[in-house]
Amino acid sequence: MNHRNHLLSFAVAFLFFSCSEKKETSLPHLQAEVEVIRDENGINHIFAQNEEDLFFMQGYLAAKDRLFQFEIWRRQATGTMAEILGERELERDKGVRLFKFRGKKEAELRHYHPRGVEIVDAFVSGVNAYITEANANPETLPIEFQMLGIQPQPWTWEVVISRHQGLLENVADELTISRVVSKIGPEAAEKLYFFHPNKPNLNLDPEIPEELLFKDILAPYQAFRGRVEFQPEDLLPEFRGKEKEVELALAELQVEMKTTLETDAFAQGSNNWVLSGTKTVSGFPYMANDPHRLQAAPSLRYWVHLNAPGWNVVGGGEPVIPGVSIGHNEYGAWGLTIFSTDNEDLRVYDIHPENPFQYRYKGEWLEMSKIMDTIKVKGQGNRLVSHYYTIHGPVTFIDEELNKAVAVQCAWLEPGSAPYLASLKMDQSQNWEEFRDACTYNYIPAENMVWADREGNIGWQATGIAPVRKGFSGLVPTMGDGRYEWEGYLPIADRPHAFNPESGFISTANQNVAPSDYPFPEALGYEWADNFRGERIKEVLSQDKKFSLEEMGALQNDYLALPARKLVPFLERLTLESGRADSLRKALLSWDYILATESVEAGVYVMWERELRKKAVEIAVPENVRSLVGSIAMTRVIEWVSNPSLIFSSNPEQSRDAWLAESFSVAISALEKKLGPNPQNWLYGQKDYKHALIYHPLGRIVSEEWQAKLNAGPLPRGGYSYTPGANAYGDNNTSGASFRILVDTEDWEKTRGINTPGQSGNPESPFYKNLFPVWAKDEFVSIPYSKESVKSKAAEVQVFSLGK
């Protein structure tokens, strides 16, 4: 790597650490000596002599790097946010506890690995060892604890298996879709969505009152799933930003999140692929993966290398979970993307007119089960709350006026549904058969798991707990009276899969990848990402050539926009009144469709596409449901442009052209207002247009001095939601790949990766945002594997010995 900032980050790390001599530390609970080598990029390589010490150290070191992230995760998982943030977080805590997994430890943890209990206990013990150490010297706690005036608290196994941040689907969509259907009918509603591959049943049961649908019937669920947003009053006064600046920053946050959640609703996701050795320069299979989630400081992901007898795996996962969910061992490499699976349903019940806690099921009145709970609220003492459950799941709403109750049936409350813990089995897989078996234990999230090994094999297995629905789609609420029951769960081995296909590659990007003749359509979802990323990846990988690993990195950061390729030709027949607009229209006709940072054409096209989508809503969506529908899937917009008779009843082509022309003219005016009158200043990648500014959770409410330390950016970016380099739809790169990995199975030392802004969550660490400029340039760092290679890239070597 030649990038100057990249080299500078290495220099800072080396100046901070001395690797000329080992540091020795005494640590209780260890059974034997453990050596930890931290490499020049901040990745910990743990060399232990037994499994228990290995996972103890994983927990200890991850907590040390990400202590504030760990504490907020713990509070979200346990429903204890109100204890530090007060009354406004009470509803979240109620929701978290209502949806808490209440199964037995032994059955839950043994599901993921034969020694799951011992592994998770060791990991938690390591986390708690560091928390005890940190609390003994509170002045050394990361700055966030000082800002909030709090201290970290101990973990339990239940925090590790919490489902609170799992990628769960799709009860919130059900409610929205049902509201739209209730207003305009199922046929009109279906035209506004991109449901496939099968036609869903959107008919509402006549026993479900429309009035009920427009009440806040999912409030506890929405609170449980919501983001934690800190307010200025949460901070000690000396750390707060200026009042008006903070107000503007928080307002900007709401706009950014609305853009991300609405316009990216059918675009967010991940990419992965595996190539056979017949298509690679080395002659051995490649694996590439870049999972896409919301960007944050610190990152959701965390690199680690775990080495002990029976374990030698390096890769990334969530720091709060033991093991590695994406990476390689000495036999093969694997990666994941989401495989759309509907594992939630909204149930509505008749309740007894004289007892609101009795509900009708199969002709009988059943009593809701009840759990009493106590929630501590800052400044207000304890609150006593009651949680209610039907045969299907947690009750979120009781309406005595309408004599109805609402509950959510959640497949993810089944034992074995903790996110990513089944990766423990994958980490030890030695071949495709073992890996595929390990996949059958992965319930949540439902994933496209891909595999590549040194023996020359590539494979794909869709995972996830998938309810079998017959006679109803799960896209609208159903009565919970027994007429709409799940017929069990489809065995994961029966989910779509492939092994060594003739094409020589397998790729997934959250689009529908199930074969057209898949025999279990009743267990497939209807909501998938638009397939633009997936089609572009296939287009590249289908070339008759042998690829280098560097080309795989370029594909992960590919900015060619397939929607542009489909839409721009429609501009050819237009003539715009404004000379400037018309000249820019002509410029797009010879453009290469690449959303590069220094491209004016990219800047013009993206603004036009945005305006085109906005206008599509005005044209095609009835006014009474526009606020519910939000944004239209890009695939639908392109269908309407290509076949205007779908939305225009008279003069469809003329009306279509007017839509295109008006949107283009509005886009030019928007750019003039945004970036000034000179089109030469309309470069796509810049601070005032497409950029990356990654915020710390407290980064919008602190003083300017602390903002500079906590936040990363802004730096120019390219691409958007529909390019393989998926960098969000709005101006800020709020979502996309913070973590990337590239593996050539011929030589594990060729592995490349990235994690932005850095490995550490401590703003004082040199590894807090050292990788941000590398990532922003779409570059990678080396990921060493052999101990000799790791030592050659060491920034720090630490030996942990048995405590006395």
Side-chain angles (χ1 to χ4, degrees):
M1 297 290 175
N2 296 319
H3 189 247
R4 182 179 176 186
N5 287 329
H6 190 177
L7 294 175
L8 182 61
S9 70
F10 287 173
V12 170
F14 274 104
L15 286 171
F16 185 80
F17 291 119
S18 170
C19 57
S20 59
E21 56 185 53
K22 294 182 180 180
K23 294 181 180 180
E24 296 195 10
T25 305
S26 176
L27 192 59
H29 311 299
L30 290 179
Q31 297 179 14
E33 188 176 272
V34 177
E35 185 176 18
V36 177
I37 304 174
R38 187 156 207 170
D39 71 24
E40 59 198 3
N41 299 303
I43 299 171
N44 285 315
H45 301 257
I46 306 170
F47 296 90
Q49 298 177 46
N50 61 75
E51 183 176 87
E52 185 175 338
D53 286 351
L54 180 69
F55 287 101
F56 176 92
M57 287 306 303
Q58 185 184 8
Y60 177 89
L61 294 168
K64 186 175 183 179
D65 261 345
R66 303 286 188 94
L67 191 59
F68 182 63
Q69 188 178 35
F70 267 61
E71 177 60 8
I72 298 306
W73 177 283
R74 184 194 67 79
R75 288 192 174 277
Q76 287 183 268
T78 56
T80 52
M81 288 299 299
E83 188 176 342
I84 62 168
L85 299 183
E87 176 85 19
R88 76 170 193 270
E89 289 294 317
L90 178 59
E91 293 306 312
R92 176 196 303 279
D93 289 353
K94 286 181 183 178
V96 168
R97 298 189 191 197
L98 175 66
F99 284 91
K100 177 182 177 180
F101 173 74
R102 299 180 184 274
K104 300 296 184 183
K105 176 180 180 180
E106 186 77 17
E108 170 74 357
L109 297 185
R110 297 281 179 218
H111 170 88
Y112 308 109
H113 193 279
R115 295 182 301 282
V117 172
E118 292 77 12
I119 289 171
V120 171
D121 280 351
F123 182 83
V124 168
S125 181
V127 172
N128 288 336
Y130 184 72
I131 288 173
T132 299
E133 187 180 306
N135 280 333
N137 301 282
E139 70 280 0
T140 66
L141 285 169
I143 191 63
E144 299 97 331
F145 292 93
Q146 300 173 46
M147 289 177 169
L148 295 167
I150 63 173
Q151 287 186 243
Q153 301 300 312
W155 277 44
T156 66
W157 71 274
E158 291 172 300
V159 178
V160 176
I161 58 86
S162 170
R163 280 74 158 149
H164 75 280
Q165 283 191 329
L167 295 173
L168 314 174
E169 300 178 66
N170 68 342
V171 72
D173 288 351
E174 276 185 57
L175 180 56
T176 301
I177 293 167
S178 68
R179 288 171 172 173
V180 173
V181 169
S182 74
K183 293 294 184 185
I184 63 174
E187 289 186 11
E190 188 180 348
K191 292 177 182 178
L192 302 179
Y193 294 94
F194 180 39
F195 297 134
H196 63 288
N198 303 302
K199 183 179 174 67
N201 180 354
L202 298 183
N203 293 305
L204 289 169
D205 192 301
E207 293 187 32
I208 299 177
E210 181 178 342
E211 184 182 351
L212 179 69
L213 297 175
F214 285 86
K215 294 188 176 185
D216 200 6
I217 61 178
L218 273 180
Y221 178 91
Q222 300 282 29
F224 150 65
R225 300 290 292 151
R227 297 173 66 250
V228 175
E229 295 183 4
F230 292 92
Q231 300 296 323
E233 60 268 24
D234 300 329
L235 302 179
L236 297 180
E238 60 266 32
F239 296 106
R240 296 174 191 166
K242 295 176 183 177
E243 186 176 351
K244 292 206 170 177
E245 291 177 1
V246 169
E247 285 179 6
L248 286 171
L250 292 178
E252 182 186 68
L253 170 64
Q254 297 308 316
V255 172
E256 277 193 0
M257 291 313 301
K258 188 174 188 293
T259 299
T260 296
L261 296 175
E262 283 192 5
T263 56
D264 280 352
F266 304 102
Q268 284 191 52
S270 309
N271 306 318
N272 68 12
W273 60 86
V274 283
L275 266 72
S276 161
T278 61
K279 293 183 71 67
T280 70
V281 170
S282 72
F284 285 77
Y286 292 164
M287 191 283 294
N289 189 198
D290 53 304
H292 306 163
R293 297 284 291 277
L294 292 178
Q295 299 286 4
S299 166
L300 174 70
R301 312 285 178 184
Y302 184 74
W303 282 89
V304 70
H305 182 181
L306 304 173
N307 185 292
W311 299 86
N312 192 9
V313 57
V314 65
E318 297 186 12
V320 292
I321 300 170
V324 166
S325 57
I326 302 163
H328 74 79
N329 57 24
E330 60 265 58
Y331 303 101
W334 58 94
L336 57 85
T337 68
I338 295 302
F339 182 90
S340 179
T341 300
D342 182 356
N343 46 52
E344 299 172 333
D345 272 348
L346 196 58
R347 303 298 194 179
V348 178
Y349 307 87
D350 293 320
I351 55 175
H352 198 287
E354 297 176 5
N355 182 352
F357 304 110
Q358 287 187 342
Y359 62 99
R360 194 81 168 165
Y361 180 72
K362 291 189 175 180
E364 298 181 17
W365 292 108
L366 302 184
E367 192 80 21
M368 295 178 189
S369 58
K370 177 181 177 180
I371 294 176
M372 300 296 293
D373 206 350
T374 302
I375 299 176
K376 187 174 182 179
V377 181
K378 182 182 180 181
Q380 298 185 28
N382 293 334
R383 295 285 185 90
L384 191 64
V385 299
S386 301
H387 308 302
Y388 293 95
Y389 301 85
T390 68
I391 196 169
H392 294 116
V395 175
T396 59
F397 196 77
I398 295 176
D399 190 327
E400 294 186 56
E401 181 186 353
L402 294 174
N403 269 348
K404 301 290 182 184
V406 177
V408 180
Q409 187 171 9
C410 316
W412 46 265
L413 283 177
E414 296 282 359
S417 299
Y420 302 113
L421 263 180
S423 300
L424 290 167
K425 281 179 174 282
M426 300 177 195
D427 293 349
Q428 293 186 298
S429 298
Q430 297 186 20
N431 52 51
W432 165 246
E433 289 74 21
E434 289 184 8
F435 182 78
R436 188 170 179 231
D437 176 70
C439 287
T440 65
Y441 294 87
N442 187 84
Y443 288 178
I444 294 290
E447 294 166 338
N448 293 292
M449 298 300 310
V450 294
W451 165 269
D453 63 37
R454 293 205 70 193
E455 300 302 313
N457 300 305
I458 60 172
W460 159 57
Q461 176 66 56
T463 74
I465 187 166
V468 176
R469 299 174 180 87
K470 294 187 177 177
F472 66 106
S473 64
L475 282 181
V476 292
T478 47
M479 290 298 293
D481 55 14
R483 289 179 289 146
Y484 304 93
E485 295 300 293
W486 293 350
E487 297 186 18
Y489 302 109
L490 185 73
I492 290 177
D494 288 340
R495 305 214 83 186
H497 54 275
F499 183 60
N500 290 336
E502 288 185 14
S503 65
F505 72 92
I506 301 167
S507 63
T508 79
N510 313 107
Q511 81 278 39
N512 172 36
V513 285
S516 58
D517 59 350
Y518 180 63
F520 306 103
E522 64 276 7
L524 283 180
Y526 298 91
E527 296 179 286
W528 304 82
D530 291 275
N531 67 358
F532 304 115
R533 285 183 292 111
E535 286 303 307
R536 173 57 181 162
I537 292 166
K538 282 184 182 178
E539 177 178 89
V540 172
L541 297 182
S542 295
Q543 296 176 77
D544 185 15
K545 61 172 290 185
K546 293 185 183 294
F547 293 93
S548 68
L549 202 62
E550 288 72 22
E551 288 175 303
M552 298 298 90
L555 182 52
Q556 285 186 335
N557 293 292
D558 184 281
Y559 293 147
L560 191 145
L562 289 190
R565 187 190 284 172
K566 293 175 181 292
L567 288 173
V568 167
F570 286 97
L571 291 172
E572 192 162 4
R573 56 188 287 167
L574 304 182
T575 301
L576 304 179
E577 292 182 8
S578 160
R580 167 177 287 177
D582 205 52
S583 66
L584 289 167
R585 174 191 68 83
K586 291 176 182 175
L588 284 192
L589 294 174
S590 57
W591 172 52
D592 59 9
Y593 312 120
I594 295 173
L595 303 183
T597 55
E598 298 182 353
S599 169
V600 170
E601 291 88 349
V604 172
Y605 170 77
V606 169
M607 190 62 75
W608 175 50
E609 187 186 287
R610 291 179 186 177
E611 296 299 334
L612 195 68
R613 292 182 75 186
K614 285 181 193 175
K615 191 66 179 175
V617 173
E618 295 177 23
I619 293 169
V621 181
E623 190 172 357
N624 63 337
V625 293
R626 283 179 194 167
S627 63
L628 294 169
V629 172
S631 185
I632 299 292
M634 195 65 210
T635 299
R636 274 282 183 260
V637 174
I638 291 173
E639 281 182 355
W640 295 343
V641 171
S642 303
N643 301 285
S645 59
L646 293 173
I647 56 170
F648 297 109
S649 55
S650 61
N651 300 316
E653 290 193 4
Q654 184 178 346
S655 299
R656 184 264 319 280
D657 290 349
W659 168 28
L660 299 178
E662 180 185 350
S663 300
F664 200 90
S665 296
V666 171
I668 299 306
S669 297
L671 285 167
E672 290 173 340
K673 183 177 180 182
K674 184 184 187 70
L675 302 173
N678 187 352
Q680 290 183 353
N681 295 328
W682 297 356
L683 302 179
Y684 184 50
Q686 56 172 296
K687 181 181 177 181
D688 294 323
Y689 203 173
K690 192 66 175 185
H691 64 276
L693 176 51
I694 301 180
Y695 285 96
H696 181 280
L698 306 179
R700 295 178 193 258
I701 60 174
V702 292
S703 65
E704 286 186 20
E705 174 192 358
W706 280 106
Q707 285 180 37
K709 289 185 178 181
L710 297 181
N711 302 330
L715 286 177
R717 296 294 278 147
Y720 72 156
S721 301
Y722 304 117
T723 52
N727 296 337
Y729 201 73
D731 284 355
N732 194 4
N733 188 174
T734 51
S735 64
S738 59
F739 171 96
R740 290 190 174 95
I741 184 171
L742 301 165
V743 182
D744 181 344
T745 60
E746 178 198 30
D747 182 359
W748 308 121
E749 302 305 328
K750 292 181 180 178
T751 301
R752 299 289 180 268
I754 196 64
N755 189 28
T756 193
Q759 279 287 102
S760 176
N762 187 340
E764 301 299 334
S765 168
F767 298 122
Y768 178 65
K769 48 184 176 182
N770 60 309
L771 297 179
F772 176 69
V774 184
W775 167 86
K777 289 283 189 180
D778 295 335
E779 295 177 352
F780 300 83
V781 298
S782 297
I783 310 297
Y785 187 60
S786 71
K787 193 165 187 180
E788 294 73 20
S789 180
V790 172
K791 283 182 176 179
S792 72
K793 298 180 183 298
E796 179 188 41
V797 179
Q798 200 163 6
V799 175
F800 294 87
S801 57
L802 284 65
K804 297 179 181 178

